[in-house]
Amino acid sequence: MPAPIEVVSEPAVTLQLLGWVLAGSLLGCCSGLVPGLHANNFAFLLAGVVPSVPGPPLFVGCAMLAAGVVHTFLNAVPAMALGVPDAEMAVTALPGHRLVLEGRGYEAIRLSALGSLLAVLAAVPLALPVTAVVTAAYPTVRTHLSLVLAMVAVALIASEPTRRGRIGGLVSFALATALGAVALNLSPDAPLEAGGTLAPLFAGLFGAPVLIDAVRGGGVPRQEGTTVTTSRRFVGATAVAGALAGAVVGYLPGISAAIAAVAVLAVVPNGASDRGYVVATSGVDTSNTIFALFALVAIGQPRTGVLVAFEGTAAPLELPILLAAVVLAGLGGFVAVIVLGDAYLDAVGQLSYWKISVAVLAALLALSYLFTGILGIAIFAVATAIGMVPVRVRCRRVHLMGVLIGPLMLGL
């Protein structure tokens, strides 16, 4: 007969853990609302501060994970509120921007929050069986990584609905690959050591082109209604599919949430919609935090900047406690994104939009300089020019992830 399991409760320790999770969550709220602050750069900033933070390494690690999770909830807000183009440019806008232009920004925020929260709740019970399957397949995938990534790139380009889009996707991927091959391995001198050239690369490829078009835009129109008009079944199925896709992002280098979301929307009935995209990308982005944690335990590889920084804390891999911190942070992030997201949209809607766009562009330039020095400004400018290609040829921006996939595929 098995021995009974004794559950020991230590209120003081529990309260201490909750305090660290709350502190990390508040930090994640602040970072998530800063446009252009990539999660990896944020993580490396944390890593630079962590050694001087007094506290048990396990709790410090829980705070870092909580910050990373909440960041994935809140970063959807500036992505929707900033860079909204003019109505005539809606066809080339991102799905979240199109919903904002339709006056459905509050609904988009709730869809994003639901996608992230449901993905967290689904990823926790799925993590063990999915990790077992992926771990078994990982040696084969690692051996044939170039082929796997090449298949992903071909599938993305082939999924464009028009010939012009496919050609534009191929050109965008090739240009981004060339940029990544040159820029990723650079180690420029910079005021802050926070993750190398990722900041100017991602800010230029994905942030600046949207803001440039938004300078001539009419800004955030009046938003109407908070009701989610999509069925619960659709939201739930898309979020769970996003959670499963997050496992791929957690284990396979170079694959982003946007790429995984494209695959999710291809298999979910009626998934090819703006609302489906918002739910899927949020689900993938957040669940990736959990699956990446299991990947660290299973194969010893930190797949996100947050977990690279987490390793620097020397925190023990106490999965039950770490998962509890992640789930608590997810619940807090769900509330925070709705409360702060609505207020964020309202505040941006009351300001002069061209001034906001110019100010955010200046902030992206400043971040590029802080993280990569003068060289970062040049990388940002080149990345911005390449980032305009899919906007002008009207193909998906996800092809720009060639900046990571291409060099990995070519073994550079």
Side-chain angles (χ1 to χ4, degrees):
M1 181 176 179
I5 298 174
E6 182 180 358
V7 178
V8 179
S9 175
E10 298 184 37
V13 175
T14 302
L15 288 175
Q16 190 179 3
L17 174 62
L18 290 174
W20 281 97
V21 171
L22 177 60
S25 298
L26 291 174
L27 198 56
C29 285
C30 296
S31 68
L33 294 174
V34 175
L37 184 57
H38 189 264
N40 283 345
N41 298 107
F42 165 61
F44 284 111
L45 285 175
L46 281 180
V49 176
V50 161
S52 62
V53 176
L58 178 59
F59 289 173
V60 175
C62 286
M64 292 189 70
L65 288 179
V69 169
V70 174
H71 181 101
T72 66
F73 274 80
L74 272 294
N75 65 2
V77 175
M80 293 180 191
L82 302 172
V84 178
D86 195 63
E88 285 75 14
M89 292 290 291
V91 68
T92 61
L94 296 171
H97 291 157
R98 286 196 289 266
L99 289 171
V100 171
L101 284 171
E102 295 170 9
R104 303 303 303 174
Y106 299 149
E107 180 188 1
I109 286 173
R110 281 152 181 77
L111 287 169
S112 176
L114 285 169
S116 289
L117 179 63
L118 292 174
V120 168
L121 298 179
V124 171
L126 289 172
L128 281 175
V130 169
T131 297
V133 173
V134 175
T135 302
Y138 183 73
T140 302
V141 172
R142 183 177 56 189
T143 303
H144 301 93
L145 181 60
S146 295
L147 177 61
V148 172
L149 293 177
M151 291 171 62
V152 170
V154 170
L156 283 174
I157 294 169
S159 67
E160 287 288 346
T162 66
R163 183 172 180 271
R164 176 177 177 175
R166 290 189 288 275
I167 294 174
L170 178 61
V171 172
S172 300
F173 186 89
L175 290 172
T177 296
L179 177 61
V182 172
L184 283 174
N185 292 323
L186 297 176
S187 300
D189 293 327
L192 296 176
E193 293 294 332
T197 55
L198 283 177
L201 283 172
F202 279 86
L205 289 172
F206 299 101
V210 180
L211 291 164
I212 289 171
D213 279 341
V215 168
R216 297 171 294 168
V220 176
R222 181 180 179 83
Q223 303 298 301
E224 301 288 347
T226 61
T227 303
V228 174
T229 57
T230 308
S231 71
R232 294 180 181 178
R233 183 175 181 178
F234 173 78
V235 172
T238 306
V240 172
L244 288 171
V248 178
V249 179
Y251 278 90
L252 199 59
I255 304 300
S256 69
I259 293 174
V262 171
V264 169
L265 298 182
V267 299
V268 174
N270 301 317
S273 66
D274 292 340
R275 289 170 173 81
Y277 184 88
V278 169
V279 174
T281 50
S282 298
V284 173
D285 199 22
T286 304
S287 68
N288 176 36
T289 306
I290 295 175
F291 286 109
L293 177 60
F294 275 79
L296 178 61
V297 175
I299 61 176
Q301 296 291 326
R303 290 300 189 197
T304 67
V306 171
L307 287 175
V308 171
F310 173 87
E311 281 197 311
T313 67
L317 289 172
E318 298 284 350
L319 272 178
I321 294 176
L322 297 174
L323 286 177
V326 167
V327 172
L328 288 171
L331 294 172
F334 176 77
V335 176
V337 72
I338 294 175
V339 174
L340 298 177
D342 287 357
Y344 200 103
L345 269 180
D346 290 341
V348 170
Q350 294 172 9
L351 299 174
S352 175
Y353 207 69
W354 75 268
K355 292 180 180 178
I356 296 175
S357 300
V358 171
V360 175
L361 278 169
L364 294 181
L365 274 171
L367 285 172
S368 298
Y369 173 75
L370 288 174
F371 292 142
T372 45
I374 296 297
L375 182 59
I377 302 297
I379 293 173
F380 176 81
V382 175
T384 298
I386 294 174
M388 295 299 294
V389 173
V391 178
R392 294 297 176 253
V393 302
R394 299 191 175 185
C395 68
R396 289 194 295 260
R397 302 166 204 250
V398 71
H399 304 295
L400 296 173
M401 283 306 299
V403 72
L404 297 182
I405 295 177
L408 285 170
M409 187 175 69
L410 298 174
L412 300 177

